[in-house]
Amino acid sequence: MKILVLNGVNLNMFGKRDPSHYGQATLSDIEGLLQVLANELDVELECFQSNIEGHLCEKIHHAHDENIDGVMINAGAWTHYSYAIRDALAILKCPIVEIHMSNVHARESFRHVSVFSSIVVGQICGFGVESYLLGLRATVQSIRSKT
Ligand code: DQA
């Protein structure tokens, strides 16, 4: 079972960005923790981050072509307005789980909207790094309950 972990715009700056929302961990710390959990759960993980919207779309197209089993995505600010990423995700047939470090619903109103919400299995937000670890468990669970 292979899961793709996608991180979008500005998320390479975790560790340097507003610690009250995003804590101190870097993206590479988070990916390391995810890898440890993936080993425990016996799943293969691929992690990808980009600040370029089209590159994220192309990675999703590639995931479709290689029949990926599940996708976890924190698209950062793109979550709130990128119909291009939403349409790319909608091509996939596998479970998709949306992740946010911060509780987006307790922040500015533009963050309350996710253009992905109707095509994801669910959203996990507000638990910091733990959002990613819960997200991986949720993705694996969704794949296993489908098969
Ligand atoms: C975020 C929340 C988004 O609103 C914001 O634009 C981000 C990070 C999060 O992980 O909490 O860049 O996705």
Side-chain angles (χ1 to χ4, degrees), residues 69-73 88-98 116 119-123 139 142:
D69 296 297
V71 170
M72 280 170 60
I73 182 163
L89 289 171
I91 299 167
L92 300 176
K93 309 229 169 8
C94 65
I96 304 165
V97 173
E98 179 182 333
F116 309 150
I119 54 162
V120 296
V121 179
Q123 181 197 66
T139 310
S142 303

Side-chain angles (χ1 to χ4, degrees), residues 32-87:
L33 291 168
L34 280 171
Q35 193 53 66
V36 170
L37 180 59
N39 294 346
E40 261 173 50
L41 299 174
D42 197 24
V43 298
E44 190 186 339
L45 218 60
E46 182 182 349
C47 297
F48 178 81
Q49 186 276 333
S50 182
N51 294 312
I52 300 171
E53 192 179 17
H55 288 179
L56 209 74
C57 290
E58 284 178 353
K59 192 71 189 174
I60 295 166
H61 302 165
H62 186 254
H64 171 268
D65 294 346
E66 71 165 327
N67 278 320
I68 202 89
D69 296 297
V71 170
M72 280 170 60
I73 182 163
N74 182 352
W78 286 330
T79 307
H80 314 303
Y81 66 88
S82 176
Y83 298 121
I85 294 172
R86 188 235 180 253
D87 283 353

